[in-house]
Amino acid sequence: MAPGRQIDSDGVSGPDTIFALSTAPGRSGVAVVRISGPKSRTALAALGGPADLEARRAVLADLRSPEDGEAIDRALVLWFPKPHSFTGEDVAELHLHGGPVVVRAALEALAGRDGLRPAEPGEFTRRAFDHGKLDLSEVEGLADLIAAETEAQRRQALRQMRGALSDLTEHWRHRLLSALAQLEAAIDFPDEDLPPDGWAQAKALMSHAKTDISQYLKEAPLGERLRHGYHIAIVGPPNVGKSSLLNALADRDVAIVAETAGTTRDAIEVHLDLGGYPVTLVDTAGLRDELTAAGGGAVEAEGMRRARARAEGADLKLVVADLGDWPNLDPDAEGLIDEQAVVVLNKADLAPAPTAPLHRGRPLFAVSAREGTGLTALVDDLRDRVTADLGVTGAAPVLTRVRHRRALEDCRDGLGRALTVDDVALAAEDLRLAIRALGRITGRVDVEDLLDVLFKEFCIGK
Ligand code: GDP
């Protein structure tokens, strides 16, 4: 017997019926408990749900413990018979009053039922995937939608959940399968009266798809960045006020601000919403010669190593220096200024600010993290930069993960090979690999069955 399946008292085998609180734990107006599997209906009935449940219609019910008949809650119950449910199985929903004790009583009552068990993390979605309700990229879209922190992320995730990426890959897959059918026909029926331009037609389809895919690959980094957030690293020598600046920008106390140098041991992240775009602000440990720092402790040295790595991968660097040093900035700060840098001179409350808008060609801002002066201009500038870098003019990008990019790159490369070989059998093999790579995006890798369907469209004569 496969794990996750069970045989009930009637000797009927089927998947486990699972249940879980689907809304956030804690106190709330309403809490939704979802039940999915063959025993959803009987479980609902055992709790006192009405016998004559109508599909997808909310009904008020007095739920009781099946053990002792103790009232649990007056709740709204909904019934979604398969296959028209989120998971594709029979699903029942209990809309309880959102008190933790109410929820606990309902969950305990369900746990006591034969054949029911609490769901594992992600199991409802897993079942939706297994029953073809969502494909892999739609599952990812759903996960991203729930995790979205800004408007731009929400738009992108919603688009993916609703199948934008699936539709696109299916479109390519169908065209490539037609091309494959042409090639297969030439291989399997070399003596038949096939249209002489079959090979040319296949090439045209492949080359068109390759151009299209390459175009989408160009905007892949944008989609990935939108999903992960735009990274801004705050770097600079110790004690210039990096942590204070992070706090001031985030307007919350997340980093420890201390008088002694080098108290920020590791990178600290704050997530901001700048103009609807997700921005991750990273405060890094003070950068100083690691050898000197090693005397202060290995932890500090490791912190600095990570800080440098973070700064390397960031989309933008805020290089913070002490305004008191202007115009002779700390060499450590100078060493960090490059094409990705915005220079921030902190502690403007202690010294007069320079009037120059640039330092070594990079934008220059004088601020006081302590008093908040100059921060509005800095934030406005950052917002403009993020919007310019992440700004999507048309529809949101459809490739949002490295996984998608890799699959499309493999597909493109396979097409490239198929287009350059002279042998039709070799071309067909490369094309098959390209189609499989596409299928990885949605989790549909079944080339054969679709090929059968397409193949039937060909008039091979006999
Ligand atoms: P970090 O090591 O670069 O992260 O620096 P911290 O944020 O820990 O700040 C170092 C010291 O500078 C602390 O004593 C802060 O209170 C002080 N400090 C930070 N920002 C300002 C500022 O704008 N003005 C003044 N006067 N002091 C500041």
Side-chain angles (χ1 to χ4, degrees), residues 136-145 152-162 164-166 168-169 216-229 392 395-408 441:
L136 266 191
S137 77
E138 289 161 354
V139 167
E140 289 169 339
L142 173 60
D144 288 349
L145 184 63
Q153 283 177 318
R154 182 186 60 75
R155 278 196 293 273
Q156 174 168 274
L158 185 63
R159 205 157 165 255
Q160 188 173 328
M161 192 196 73
R162 293 170 70 176
L165 181 54
S166 317
L168 192 62
T169 46
Y216 275 89
L217 276 170
K218 272 195 203 138
E219 61 170 41
L222 187 62
E224 286 164 32
R225 208 141 48 135
L226 201 52
R227 180 169 168 270
H228 281 298
V392 184
V398 285
L399 306 181
T400 58
R401 297 181 185 231
V402 178
R403 190 181 82 76
H404 307 153
R405 178 154 50 87
R406 295 261 155 80
L408 279 195
I441 293 180

Side-chain angles (χ1 to χ4, degrees), residues 226-247:
L226 201 52
R227 180 169 168 270
H228 281 298
Y230 189 89
H231 279 245
I232 302 181
I234 304 184
V235 292
N239 233 15
V240 292
K242 295 183 300 299
S243 308
S244 310
L245 180 65
L246 177 91
N247 286 346

Side-chain angles (χ1 to χ4, degrees), residues 5-359:
R5 296 182 81 78
Q6 44 95 33
I7 295 176
D8 66 16
S9 45
D10 314 322
V12 182
S13 150
D16 290 346
T17 296
I18 54 173
F19 62 90
L21 175 66
S22 289
T23 42
R27 244 172 267 279
S28 57
V30 176
V32 178
V33 167
R34 193 147 58 171
I35 313 165
S36 178
K39 296 209 160 179
S40 305
R41 179 73 193 252
T42 45
L44 190 56
L47 260 68
D52 54 344
L53 272 172
E54 216 181 298
R56 297 177 295 282
R57 192 187 175 106
V59 184
L60 205 57
D62 285 315
L63 301 183
R64 298 181 176 281
S65 159
E67 297 276 303
D68 52 16
E70 174 79 21
I72 295 173
D73 191 16
R74 171 163 288 185
L76 215 52
V77 297
L78 278 139
W79 168 237
F80 303 90
K82 69 176 181 187
H84 303 295
S85 69
F86 174 68
T87 58
E89 300 178 321
D90 281 345
V91 167
E93 279 185 9
L94 315 179
H95 292 225
L96 305 161
H97 289 105
V101 187
V102 179
V103 172
R104 193 167 64 216
L107 293 179
E108 274 171 9
L110 290 170
R113 303 288 306 161
D114 191 24
L116 263 72
R117 65 165 171 82
E120 306 282 344
E123 203 174 2
F124 286 98
T125 313
R126 175 70 212 237
R127 290 190 175 193
F129 173 73
D130 287 344
H131 292 112
K133 287 280 163 180
L134 296 170
D135 69 28
L136 266 191
S137 77
E138 289 161 354
V139 167
E140 289 169 339
L142 173 60
D144 288 349
L145 184 63
I146 293 171
E149 289 179 334
T150 72
E151 277 300 290
Q153 283 177 318
R154 182 186 60 75
R155 278 196 293 273
Q156 174 168 274
L158 185 63
R159 205 157 165 255
Q160 188 173 328
M161 192 196 73
R162 293 170 70 176
L165 181 54
S166 317
D167 292 350
L168 192 62
T169 46
E170 278 305 284
H171 165 76
W172 286 325
R173 212 165 75 102
H174 270 94
R175 309 195 97 208
L176 294 181
L177 282 166
S178 306
L180 185 57
Q182 304 268 11
L183 297 187
E184 297 277 2
I187 296 167
D188 291 347
F189 307 96
D191 303 326
E192 303 291 332
D193 266 347
L194 287 169
D197 56 353
W199 186 205
Q201 274 183 21
K203 276 195 166 172
L205 284 167
M206 291 193 286
S207 133
H208 193 269
K210 184 169 169 269
T211 313
D212 223 14
I213 288 171
S214 305
Q215 201 55 40
Y216 275 89
L217 276 170
K218 272 195 203 138
E219 61 170 41
L222 187 62
E224 286 164 32
R225 208 141 48 135
L226 201 52
R227 180 169 168 270
H228 281 298
Y230 189 89
H231 279 245
I232 302 181
I234 304 184
V235 292
N239 233 15
V240 292
K242 295 183 300 299
S243 308
S244 310
L245 180 65
L246 177 91
N247 286 346
L249 289 175
D251 205 21
R252 44 186 149 132
D253 268 343
V254 287
I256 316 142
V257 179
E259 296 287 344
T260 45
T263 45
T264 315
R265 297 254 178 224
D266 203 343
I268 293 174
E269 289 189 357
V270 168
H271 298 268
L272 302 179
D273 179 337
L274 279 188
Y277 294 103
V279 172
T280 304
L281 209 56
V282 190
D283 175 25
T284 58
L287 290 161
R288 199 187 252 172
D289 189 353
E290 276 177 34
L291 287 173
T292 324
V299 180
E300 194 62 35
E302 174 59 15
M304 278 190 229
R305 196 191 59 72
R306 289 188 201 175
R308 282 211 186 88
R310 285 299 189 114
E312 286 301 311
D315 298 302
L316 196 74
K317 279 196 251 180
L318 292 188
V319 179
V320 187
D322 200 317
L323 175 58
D325 295 339
W326 177 261
N328 303 308
L329 299 184
D330 187 309
D332 274 349
E334 290 286 359
L336 287 162
I337 298 172
D338 61 13
E339 289 297 293
Q340 254 84 49
V342 166
V343 185
V344 180
L345 301 178
N346 188 34
K347 311 196 184 180
D349 49 307
L350 299 180
T355 48
L358 297 175
H359 176 59

Side-chain angles (χ1 to χ4, degrees), residues 244-245 248-249 346 348-349 366-378:
S244 310
L245 180 65
L249 289 175
N346 188 34
D349 49 307
V367 305
S368 165
R370 178 171 285 177
E371 296 187 351
T373 46
L375 290 179
T376 310
L378 176 62

Side-chain angles (χ1 to χ4, degrees), residues 38 142 163 181 269 301 312 331 335 417 419 438 449:
L142 173 60
E269 289 189 357
E312 286 301 311
R417 286 193 305 273
L419 281 164
L438 263 190
D449 54 358

